[in-house]
Amino acid sequence: MMAPSILPVDIGDEFSARAESLGKERIGIVDIGSNSVRFVVFDALARSAHTVHNEKIICSIGRDLGATGMLYKEGVDQALEALRRYRLLAERLGVKVREAVATAAARDASNGADFVRRAESAWGGTVRVLSGTEEAKLAGEGVIAAIPDADGLTADLGGGSLDMVVVKNGQTGEAVSMPFGPLRLIDLSKGDLDKTRQLVDYELSKWLPLRSLDNKTLYLVGGIWRSVARVDMLREEYPLQILQSYTIPYNRAVELASVLAKQGKKSLENLAAVSKRRMELLPYGAIVLQRLLLAAKFKDVVVSANGVREGLVYSRLPAEERGKDPLIDYATIENARASRSPLHAMEMFNWATPLFADENAYYRRLRLAASLLSDLGWRRHPDFRTRGTYSEVLHMPFGGVDHKARCFIAACVYHRYAGDDEMPEDLRLTGMLDKAEEKRVLRIGLAARLAFDLSASSAGELGHYRLRLTPSKVILEIPKRRGAIADDAVGKRLGALGGAFDRNAEIQVLSG
């Protein structure tokens, strides 16, 4: 993953500016898709926007569109009722910036314009009908917001269309929209799966950019493909149930898509990972994925929880805000929101740096994130502080990391609270970290544990003490006038830290 572009040198100012914006620029987004209508409220127009509210209704306005050319009447009525509800919620939540978009079904139906007029009346604002390429590019922006170094193809599968865009170097490139949403395919193929394959293959063969994407990554956006990923998690007994950045190797993805494309309703009913609402559509989504994977030999498949809605927020940001590291920006805000003394985190990061002279940019960034998140658990009950904080960090909705890096950060925070105790089996995520990384997270966590004992999380305290690493010792230098700080607990913490570095520990009391 990427190294940070902007480090939070002054966390206090960073948070003050963000806090000033909260409640003043909440942004509410309505996404009217072929299968669902969703309403999301973000707390601010910012790099690390937090979700205040998120709900959807499955109304399938695109059902029968291929056969009738018109929107599904019952679904339209449900959608309009939902929009009236969303309008009231937006007012109650104090949303200052509103945006509503409609996608494939509304743009393709003969009665789409009439529906949009009625939707605008229900919502109380403009509804922008996105073109297929606009939809693709916004989905790509959403992926880039969470995965800044994305390199490959973003594919957003909605109920009515497959929208694809090339992503590289933080930018979107060539884009295309194809009428391959599962609802549309059911109509076009008359339920014939072989015909579905033929339709998809024919259109994919005409899009030339696919030929240059071998060994790149395919980024999946959309609820149907998230269901596919959940099935893979279940089959693999994957230990971390987080879809964002979940990665499936190419060959396994081809095999999985091929299997799901052949499943009947009864077989799908036995898959706990698939909701009943998705069962009818899943084989068609699996066929699209299978044919796409066979059209270009991607390196792997990565799931993105972000899509058009997050892309709409990200596309509004100024260049400086877009350039922030999503992991460090999120951790900075969380530190400022929840820590006892936000400035302490950067002081601790710098104070412990002499112990990590071998650290490359990748691990330095993760240690910084762990430092920023290391005091989130102070309000928790002591009996649940270690486990609760570990779980909170592990499942935080930050971007910019894969699952290995996520586990690394959470494990650092675990050891900050647990000390050198071995992580219990029910918390261990087997296979995520190698032996060297397990040792590294222990060292980072124990250094933080010592720092909090010395400082009680107070800003300005750690500067009085110095850590040094020699070939045989971890040394803590303490000025004589502060010698009382070195009680038994500090000695124990330093001893554990020394042991983690395979060295003796020594406290040196300096004159002056």
Side-chain angles (χ1 to χ4, degrees), residues 348-354 356 359 362-372 408-409 412 440 444:
M348 181 176 69
F349 171 78
N350 292 324
W351 176 78
T353 294
F356 301 99
E359 190 174 57
Y362 173 82
Y363 288 118
R364 181 175 185 267
R365 174 177 180 253
L366 300 187
R367 182 168 64 88
L368 175 57
S371 299
L372 290 165
F408 186 102
I409 296 165
C412 290
R440 186 177 290 273
I444 294 170

Side-chain angles (χ1 to χ4, degrees), residues 212-397:
S212 62
L213 291 169
D214 286 358
N215 209 36
K216 301 291 185 178
T217 293
L218 175 62
Y219 300 94
L220 301 184
V221 177
I224 293 294
W225 282 346
R226 288 194 295 273
S227 294
V228 171
R230 287 191 184 96
V231 173
D232 188 70
M233 284 181 168
L234 187 65
R235 295 174 87 206
E236 296 296 312
E237 298 182 347
Y238 191 71
L240 181 59
Q241 298 299 300
I242 293 176
L243 286 170
Q244 175 61 44
S245 294
Y246 179 66
T247 302
I248 309 174
Y250 175 81
N251 288 333
R252 195 171 87 214
V254 173
E255 186 269 336
L256 174 64
S258 300
V259 169
L260 291 177
K262 301 173 184 175
Q263 297 299 303
K265 182 178 179 181
K266 185 165 290 188
S267 298
L268 291 173
E269 286 175 349
N270 295 324
L271 292 175
V274 182
S275 69
K276 290 183 178 179
R277 293 175 302 184
R278 302 285 189 196
M279 285 179 187
E280 179 188 12
L281 307 181
L282 187 63
Y284 294 89
I287 287 174
V288 176
L289 178 58
Q290 178 201 43
R291 309 324 290 177
L292 184 54
L293 288 168
L294 294 176
K297 190 171 176 58
F298 294 95
K299 176 181 64 176
D300 52 20
V301 168
V302 171
V303 178
S304 172
N306 278 15
V308 169
R309 294 174 293 277
E310 292 77 15
L312 284 165
V313 174
Y314 187 68
S315 65
R316 284 172 167 261
L317 299 179
E320 179 182 357
E321 193 74 10
R322 287 167 65 105
K324 291 180 179 180
D325 181 330
L327 169 65
I328 301 305
D329 186 57
Y330 184 96
T332 297
I333 298 302
E334 282 301 300
N335 169 63
R337 179 190 65 81
S339 298
R340 287 169 287 181
S341 178
L343 294 176
H344 178 265
M346 274 304 292
E347 292 179 355
M348 181 176 69
F349 171 78
N350 292 324
W351 176 78
T353 294
L355 299 179
F356 301 99
D358 65 336
E359 190 174 57
N360 59 25
Y362 173 82
Y363 288 118
R364 181 175 185 267
R365 174 177 180 253
L366 300 187
R367 182 168 64 88
L368 175 57
S371 299
L372 290 165
L373 298 173
S374 62
D375 197 33
L376 299 190
W378 68 275
R379 282 191 173 93
R380 291 182 181 273
H381 190 284
D383 293 346
F384 193 62
R385 187 170 293 147
T386 300
R387 283 176 170 265
T389 311
Y390 168 75
S391 180
E392 178 184 5
V393 173
L394 185 64
H395 295 93
M396 278 182 163

Side-chain angles (χ1 to χ4, degrees), residues 468-489:
R468 288 196 295 120
L469 188 68
T470 74
S472 60
K473 296 178 181 179
V474 174
I475 298 171
L476 174 64
E477 295 180 353
I478 297 176
K480 185 176 182 179
R481 66 183 182 280
R482 290 178 168 266
I485 202 73
D487 63 358
D488 289 344

Side-chain angles (χ1 to χ4, degrees), residues 4-134:
S5 56
I6 300 175
L7 296 184
V9 176
D10 192 335
I11 294 170
D13 287 348
E14 174 78 13
F15 181 65
S16 295
R18 173 64 182 276
E20 183 69 19
S21 73
L22 296 181
K24 292 185 177 181
E25 54 178 41
R26 280 185 173 177
I27 177 169
I29 293 176
V30 165
D31 181 1
I32 305 171
S34 300
N35 193 45
S36 66
V37 179
R38 186 180 289 273
F39 177 52
V40 183
V41 177
F42 298 99
D43 66 352
L45 190 60
R47 184 67 180 85
S48 296
H50 288 54
T51 301
V52 175
H53 183 77
N54 187 346
E55 68 172 85
K56 72 174 179 181
I57 179 173
I58 301 293
C59 50
S60 301
I61 65 171
R63 180 177 293 277
D64 301 330
L65 179 61
T68 68
M70 300 180 69
L71 298 178
Y72 179 52
K73 184 181 183 306
E74 184 178 333
V76 166
D77 292 341
Q78 290 177 318
L80 294 174
E81 187 62 31
L83 290 171
R84 285 187 277 270
R85 168 182 164 78
Y86 297 162
R87 179 179 184 174
L88 292 172
L89 290 177
E91 293 169 357
R92 291 286 295 179
L93 291 169
V95 173
K96 302 300 182 183
V97 181
R98 295 197 211 176
E99 183 153 10
V101 295
T103 55
R107 69 174 172 258
D108 294 341
S110 61
N111 61 340
D114 177 66
F115 167 72
V116 169
R117 284 193 293 272
R118 296 171 68 191
E120 288 179 332
S121 176
W123 167 239
T126 300
V127 174
R128 178 159 59 110
V129 180
L130 299 175
S131 70
T133 54
E134 284 178 321

Side-chain angles (χ1 to χ4, degrees), residues 422-434:
E422 189 170 332
M423 191 177 289
E425 282 300 318
D426 65 316
L427 294 185
R428 290 178 65 86
L429 298 174
T430 305
M432 288 293 188
L433 305 179
D434 60 31

Side-chain angles (χ1 to χ4, degrees), residues 143-170:
V143 169
I144 291 168
I147 311 173
D149 55 356
D151 183 9
L153 181 72
T154 290
D156 180 3
L157 184 68
S161 65
L162 169 66
D163 305 304
M164 300 185 291
V165 63
V166 176
V167 289
K168 186 178 179 65
N169 298 325

